[in-house]
Every structure is written in C-alpha cells, then in structure tokens.
Amino acid sequence: GAVVSQHPSRVICKSGTSVKIECRSLDFQATTMFWYRQFPKQSLMLMATSNEGSKATYEQGVEKDKFLINHASLTLSTLTVTSAHPEDSSFYICSASNREKLFFGSGTQLSVL
Amino acid sequence: GDSVTQMEGPVTLSEEAFLTINCTYTATGYPSLFWYVQYPGEGLQLLLKATKADDKGSNKGFEATYRKETTSFHLEKGSVQVSDSAVYFCALSPQGSGYSTLTFGKGTMLLVSP
C-alpha cells in the first residue's frame, strides 16, 4: 500500500483563494520532504525541500510567499498556494525521505478558475 | 546544469512486444540513475536504479544499463504486459547526493494493448 498519502487528489478553486495540500508519511518518519510541480508533458520540477522543524529551502524562481510550506512533524508537510491564479494550475507532487528511501505521493491536480 | 532527456510518448505496443524507452543524461562525474514508474492514480515508484558505470538495474522484467560512454540509461523489457501501462520517468541524482536532488525527464507514457 501507499506509504505517502497526498490529499486532495484534485482541487478546483476560484482565483484569489488559497489552497492547502497535505502530504503524510504513513509508515515511517520523514526527515525530509520535497515538493514538485509538473506541467503537462514536462519534467517534475523541484519547488522546495523541507526538513522537519526548520524553514523550507526554495529553488530559484519559486516564490516562497506564494507557496507556503510547513513541515511541523516527521509525518506531515503541507503546501499552501496562497491567492491562487490560473497560472498556478498544475500538478503538484510531494515526496518523503528517511535518508534511506524516497517515496512519492500520488499528486494533486490544481485547477484555478 | 544536470538534465535528463527521454523519448516522447506515448509509446503504444501490443502485449508481449519488446520495449525500449531511451534516456540520456547530462551531468558531471558519475551520477546515480533511476527509472520511476507511475501507474494511473498512484505516486511515482522506484522501478530500478544504478549507481556506477556498467551497472545493470533490474526489476519486474525491466532492465537498464548505466552506459557512461554514451551517457545513457535506456529502459528495456523483453515482453510487455497490459499491466505495464504507465508513465515512466528517467531521473538522476548527482554523485554522492543520494535522493536530495533528483532531476527528472519529462516522462514517457506506455500504452500496452491486449
């Protein structure tokens, strides 16, 4: 079964609203979680890396005030897309690592109208 | 910077056909190379990996050989099944970095018909 649970799998929201995506590691303690974004027919692009209890490290070009990442525990990380706009519509994927292995969530399709 | 190029899909095959999905990379030194598979509605799963030149990764009938001279890591399977229909991602991580920095290709969709 899945070892990383990502919710919701699909969300549609109005422009200007905020959306929270959750990523939970089910069977292990994730010291590090990663958030990716994928556009159609494009690679997964790493957005940020978060370690439990510390601030996330964002990749160049990713707005940290728009994509808020919280990694408050060893089993939960959240990505909040604040004041979402249509250009934020994309597929977001999380992954969790305990240094030995890496597991991916099933992704969240965000559509901003 | 590092990059991964894989063939565009979809790749459409009949059951029991031979599969090749090409993957080439650009990186310094000896990166680790991976193939991930994403079945419909599920997360990416590690299919196989190789960490040094000439290593062959294998799993579930799939194989890929780390070719330093051609900077390639092509995925092959001798006889595909309908259940192999999925999206396949080639990826690399820089030498010594483990999973901390994965660079992915764009993914190749495989469709296998009965």
Side-chain angles (χ1 to χ4, degrees):
Chain A
V3 294
V4 174
S5 173
Q6 184 175 344
H7 289 284
S9 58
R10 182 179 296 272
V11 58
I12 301 172
C13 69
K14 293 182 179 180
S15 185
T17 61
S18 294
V19 174
K20 180 182 285 188
I21 303 170
E22 289 190 350
C23 182
R24 294 181 182 272
S25 59
L26 301 179
D27 300 326
F28 66 100
Q29 293 184 326
T31 51
T32 305
M33 286 191 172
F34 305 90
W35 287 95
Y36 297 85
R37 182 174 181 177
Q38 184 183 26
F39 291 103
K41 299 185 179 181
Q42 299 296 315
S43 303
L44 278 73
M45 301 299 296
L46 181 64
M47 298 175 65
T49 302
S50 70
N51 294 298
E52 185 265 339
S54 61
K55 289 185 178 180
T57 301
Y58 290 81
E59 296 299 302
Q60 190 173 7
V62 178
E63 299 177 59
K64 62 180 180 180
D65 294 331
K66 166 167 274 297
F67 299 100
L68 300 179
I69 292 172
N70 183 280
H71 191 169
S73 76
L74 285 171
T75 60
L76 175 64
S77 177
T78 60
L79 167 68
T80 301
V81 183
T82 62
S83 186
H85 288 91
E87 58 266 28
D88 299 323
S89 299
S90 189
F91 192 63
Y92 295 87
I93 303 174
C94 72
S95 65
S97 172
N98 64 355
R99 293 198 181 92
E100 294 179 352
K101 291 188 177 181
L102 180 72
F103 299 96
F104 285 83
S106 55
T108 298
Q109 181 65 53
L110 171 63
S111 299
V112 185
L113 305 178
Chain B
D2 296 345
S3 66
V4 175
T5 303
Q6 59 182 107
M7 59 191 293
E8 288 195 27
V11 174
T12 304
L13 295 173
S14 298
E15 204 165 25
E16 298 184 3
F18 184 86
L19 168 71
T20 299
I21 299 178
N22 291 336
C23 171
T24 56
Y25 68 90
T26 301
T28 56
Y30 290 82
S32 294
L33 302 174
F34 308 84
W35 276 101
Y36 282 87
V37 58
Q38 185 177 30
Y39 298 104
E42 300 183 14
L44 276 73
Q45 303 172 26
L46 179 63
L47 180 60
L48 53 84
K49 68 178 182 180
T51 57
K52 60 182 188 291
D54 299 324
D55 265 2
K56 177 184 285 187
S58 61
N59 185 25
K60 300 181 180 180
F62 291 89
E63 292 183 340
T65 301
Y66 190 143
R67 301 288 189 198
K68 178 65 174 174
E69 63 276 15
T70 55
T71 62
S72 64
F73 194 54
H74 304 321
L75 182 68
E76 297 182 335
K77 186 174 185 182
S79 176
V80 294
Q81 305 299 312
V82 173
S83 57
D84 294 327
S85 297
V87 181
Y88 293 82
F89 292 90
C90 185
L92 70 82
S93 67
Q95 187 171 356
S97 68
Y99 292 114
S100 62
T101 310
L102 278 172
T103 299
F104 287 89
K106 295 181 180 180
T108 302
M109 179 177 286
L110 170 65
L111 299 172
V112 181
S113 57

Short mmCIF file of all heavy atoms in Angstrom, two decimals, chain A residues 10-38:
data_model
loop_
_atom_site.label_atom_id
_atom_site.label_comp_id
_atom_site.label_asym_id
_atom_site.label_seq_id
_atom_site.Cartn_x
_atom_site.Cartn_y
_atom_site.Cartn_z
N ARG A 10 -7.43 16.10 -6.26
CA ARG A 10 -7.84 17.08 -7.26
C ARG A 10 -8.57 18.20 -6.56
O ARG A 10 -9.38 17.96 -5.65
CB ARG A 10 -8.76 16.41 -8.29
CG ARG A 10 -9.22 17.32 -9.41
CD ARG A 10 -10.11 16.54 -10.39
NE ARG A 10 -9.37 15.48 -11.05
CZ ARG A 10 -8.67 15.64 -12.17
NH1 ARG A 10 -8.63 16.82 -12.75
NH2 ARG A 10 -8.05 14.62 -12.73
N VAL A 11 -8.29 19.42 -6.94
CA VAL A 11 -8.97 20.57 -6.35
C VAL A 11 -9.17 21.64 -7.41
O VAL A 11 -8.28 21.90 -8.20
CB VAL A 11 -8.21 21.12 -5.12
CG1 VAL A 11 -6.79 21.53 -5.48
CG2 VAL A 11 -8.95 22.27 -4.49
N ILE A 12 -10.38 22.19 -7.38
CA ILE A 12 -10.72 23.31 -8.27
C ILE A 12 -11.06 24.49 -7.37
O ILE A 12 -11.87 24.34 -6.44
CB ILE A 12 -11.91 22.95 -9.18
CG1 ILE A 12 -11.56 21.72 -10.03
CG2 ILE A 12 -12.27 24.14 -10.08
CD1 ILE A 12 -12.74 21.18 -10.83
N CYS A 13 -10.48 25.63 -7.63
CA CYS A 13 -10.75 26.78 -6.79
C CYS A 13 -10.88 28.04 -7.63
O CYS A 13 -10.48 28.07 -8.80
CB CYS A 13 -9.65 26.96 -5.74
SG CYS A 13 -8.07 27.47 -6.42
N LYS A 14 -11.43 29.06 -7.01
CA LYS A 14 -11.57 30.34 -7.68
C LYS A 14 -10.29 31.15 -7.53
O LYS A 14 -9.56 31.02 -6.53
CB LYS A 14 -12.74 31.13 -7.10
CG LYS A 14 -14.10 30.50 -7.37
CD LYS A 14 -15.21 31.38 -6.80
CE LYS A 14 -16.58 30.79 -7.09
NZ LYS A 14 -17.67 31.63 -6.54
N SER A 15 -10.04 31.99 -8.50
CA SER A 15 -8.87 32.85 -8.45
C SER A 15 -8.90 33.73 -7.21
O SER A 15 -9.95 34.27 -6.85
CB SER A 15 -8.83 33.72 -9.71
OG SER A 15 -7.66 34.49 -9.77
N GLY A 16 -7.78 33.83 -6.52
CA GLY A 16 -7.68 34.65 -5.33
C GLY A 16 -7.82 33.88 -4.03
O GLY A 16 -7.51 34.42 -2.96
N THR A 17 -8.26 32.66 -4.10
CA THR A 17 -8.39 31.85 -2.89
C THR A 17 -7.10 31.08 -2.64
O THR A 17 -6.22 31.00 -3.50
CB THR A 17 -9.55 30.86 -3.00
OG1 THR A 17 -9.32 29.97 -4.11
CG2 THR A 17 -10.87 31.60 -3.23
N SER A 18 -7.00 30.54 -1.42
CA SER A 18 -5.81 29.75 -1.05
C SER A 18 -6.17 28.27 -0.97
O SER A 18 -7.29 27.92 -0.60
CB SER A 18 -5.26 30.23 0.29
OG SER A 18 -4.77 31.55 0.17
N VAL A 19 -5.23 27.45 -1.30
CA VAL A 19 -5.44 26.01 -1.32
C VAL A 19 -4.33 25.32 -0.54
O VAL A 19 -3.15 25.64 -0.73
CB VAL A 19 -5.44 25.47 -2.78
CG1 VAL A 19 -5.52 23.95 -2.79
CG2 VAL A 19 -6.58 26.09 -3.57
N LYS A 20 -4.70 24.40 0.33
CA LYS A 20 -3.71 23.65 1.11
C LYS A 20 -3.67 22.20 0.64
O LYS A 20 -4.70 21.54 0.51
CB LYS A 20 -4.05 23.70 2.59
CG LYS A 20 -3.05 22.93 3.46
CD LYS A 20 -3.42 22.94 4.93
CE LYS A 20 -3.13 24.27 5.57
NZ LYS A 20 -3.32 24.21 7.05
N ILE A 21 -2.47 21.72 0.42
CA ILE A 21 -2.24 20.32 0.03
C ILE A 21 -1.45 19.65 1.14
O ILE A 21 -0.44 20.19 1.61
CB ILE A 21 -1.47 20.24 -1.30
CG1 ILE A 21 -2.23 20.99 -2.41
CG2 ILE A 21 -1.26 18.79 -1.70
CD1 ILE A 21 -1.43 21.17 -3.68
N GLU A 22 -1.90 18.46 1.54
CA GLU A 22 -1.23 17.74 2.62
C GLU A 22 -0.45 16.54 2.10
O GLU A 22 -0.88 15.87 1.17
CB GLU A 22 -2.26 17.23 3.64
CG GLU A 22 -2.90 18.30 4.48
CD GLU A 22 -3.72 17.71 5.62
OE1 GLU A 22 -3.92 16.48 5.63
OE2 GLU A 22 -4.16 18.48 6.49
N CYS A 23 0.66 16.29 2.74
CA CYS A 23 1.49 15.15 2.40
C CYS A 23 1.87 14.45 3.70
O CYS A 23 2.51 15.05 4.56
CB CYS A 23 2.74 15.62 1.66
SG CYS A 23 3.85 14.30 1.12
N ARG A 24 1.44 13.20 3.83
CA ARG A 24 1.69 12.45 5.06
C ARG A 24 2.49 11.19 4.78
O ARG A 24 2.18 10.44 3.85
CB ARG A 24 0.37 12.04 5.72
CG ARG A 24 -0.46 13.18 6.24
CD ARG A 24 -1.75 12.68 6.90
NE ARG A 24 -2.58 13.80 7.35
CZ ARG A 24 -2.46 14.38 8.53
NH1 ARG A 24 -1.57 13.93 9.39
NH2 ARG A 24 -3.24 15.38 8.86
N SER A 25 3.50 10.95 5.59
CA SER A 25 4.20 9.67 5.51
C SER A 25 3.52 8.73 6.49
O SER A 25 3.31 9.06 7.65
CB SER A 25 5.68 9.84 5.86
OG SER A 25 5.83 10.38 7.16
N LEU A 26 3.13 7.56 6.01
CA LEU A 26 2.26 6.68 6.79
C LEU A 26 3.02 5.67 7.63
O LEU A 26 2.59 5.31 8.71
CB LEU A 26 1.30 5.95 5.85
CG LEU A 26 0.40 6.85 5.00
CD1 LEU A 26 -0.49 6.00 4.10
CD2 LEU A 26 -0.45 7.76 5.87
N ASP A 27 4.13 5.16 7.13
CA ASP A 27 4.80 4.05 7.81
C ASP A 27 6.19 4.40 8.31
O ASP A 27 6.89 3.52 8.82
CB ASP A 27 4.91 2.86 6.85
CG ASP A 27 3.55 2.37 6.39
OD1 ASP A 27 2.61 2.45 7.19
OD2 ASP A 27 3.44 1.93 5.24
N PHE A 28 6.59 5.65 8.16
CA PHE A 28 7.95 5.99 8.56
C PHE A 28 8.03 7.47 8.90
O PHE A 28 7.14 8.25 8.59
CB PHE A 28 8.94 5.65 7.45
CG PHE A 28 8.77 6.49 6.21
CD1 PHE A 28 9.60 7.57 5.95
CD2 PHE A 28 7.77 6.20 5.29
CE1 PHE A 28 9.44 8.33 4.81
CE2 PHE A 28 7.60 6.97 4.15
CZ PHE A 28 8.43 8.04 3.90
N GLN A 29 9.10 7.83 9.54
CA GLN A 29 9.32 9.23 9.89
C GLN A 29 10.15 9.88 8.79
O GLN A 29 11.26 9.45 8.50
CB GLN A 29 10.04 9.32 11.24
CG GLN A 29 9.19 8.84 12.40
CD GLN A 29 9.86 9.04 13.74
OE1 GLN A 29 11.07 8.94 13.84
NE2 GLN A 29 9.09 9.36 14.75
N ALA A 30 9.57 10.88 8.19
CA ALA A 30 10.21 11.55 7.06
C ALA A 30 11.02 12.75 7.54
O ALA A 30 10.45 13.77 7.93
CB ALA A 30 9.16 12.00 6.05
N THR A 31 12.31 12.60 7.52
CA THR A 31 13.15 13.71 7.94
C THR A 31 13.16 14.83 6.91
O THR A 31 13.36 15.99 7.25
CB THR A 31 14.59 13.23 8.17
OG1 THR A 31 15.02 12.49 7.01
CG2 THR A 31 14.67 12.31 9.38
N THR A 32 12.94 14.47 5.66
CA THR A 32 12.93 15.46 4.59
C THR A 32 11.75 15.21 3.67
O THR A 32 11.44 14.06 3.35
CB THR A 32 14.23 15.39 3.76
OG1 THR A 32 15.35 15.52 4.63
CG2 THR A 32 14.27 16.51 2.73
N MET A 33 11.10 16.28 3.28
CA MET A 33 10.02 16.19 2.30
C MET A 33 10.31 17.14 1.15
O MET A 33 10.89 18.21 1.36
CB MET A 33 8.67 16.49 2.94
CG MET A 33 8.17 15.35 3.83
SD MET A 33 6.45 15.60 4.32
CE MET A 33 6.11 14.03 5.13
N PHE A 34 9.92 16.73 -0.02
CA PHE A 34 10.16 17.51 -1.23
C PHE A 34 8.81 17.82 -1.89
O PHE A 34 7.90 16.99 -1.89
CB PHE A 34 11.01 16.72 -2.22
CG PHE A 34 12.33 16.24 -1.66
CD1 PHE A 34 12.42 15.00 -1.05
CD2 PHE A 34 13.47 17.00 -1.76
CE1 PHE A 34 13.62 14.53 -0.54
CE2 PHE A 34 14.68 16.56 -1.26
CZ PHE A 34 14.75 15.32 -0.64
N TRP A 35 8.73 18.99 -2.48
CA TRP A 35 7.54 19.36 -3.25
C TRP A 35 7.96 19.65 -4.69
O TRP A 35 8.90 20.41 -4.95
CB TRP A 35 6.86 20.59 -2.64
CG TRP A 35 6.15 20.26 -1.37
CD1 TRP A 35 6.62 20.40 -0.10
CD2 TRP A 35 4.82 19.73 -1.25
NE1 TRP A 35 5.67 19.98 0.81
CE2 TRP A 35 4.56 19.57 0.13
CE3 TRP A 35 3.83 19.39 -2.17
CZ2 TRP A 35 3.34 19.07 0.61
CZ3 TRP A 35 2.62 18.90 -1.70
CH2 TRP A 35 2.39 18.75 -0.32
N TYR A 36 7.23 19.02 -5.62
CA TYR A 36 7.49 19.18 -7.04
C TYR A 36 6.25 19.75 -7.73
O TYR A 36 5.12 19.61 -7.26
CB TYR A 36 7.81 17.83 -7.69
CG TYR A 36 9.04 17.14 -7.19
CD1 TYR A 36 9.01 16.34 -6.05
CD2 TYR A 36 10.25 17.26 -7.86
CE1 TYR A 36 10.14 15.69 -5.60
CE2 TYR A 36 11.39 16.60 -7.42
CZ TYR A 36 11.32 15.83 -6.29
OH TYR A 36 12.45 15.18 -5.85
N ARG A 37 6.51 20.31 -8.89
CA ARG A 37 5.43 20.80 -9.74
C ARG A 37 5.66 20.22 -11.14
O ARG A 37 6.80 20.15 -11.61
CB ARG A 37 5.47 22.33 -9.77
CG ARG A 37 4.37 22.97 -10.57
CD ARG A 37 4.42 24.48 -10.41
NE ARG A 37 3.36 25.12 -11.15
CZ ARG A 37 3.14 26.44 -11.13
NH1 ARG A 37 3.91 27.23 -10.42
NH2 ARG A 37 2.15 26.93 -11.83
N GLN A 38 4.58 19.83 -11.77
CA GLN A 38 4.70 19.25 -13.10
C GLN A 38 3.67 19.86 -14.03
O GLN A 38 2.47 19.77 -13.78
CB GLN A 38 4.52 17.73 -13.04
CG GLN A 38 4.74 17.04 -14.38
CD GLN A 38 4.48 15.55 -14.31
OE1 GLN A 38 3.73 15.08 -13.47
NE2 GLN A 38 5.13 14.80 -15.19
#
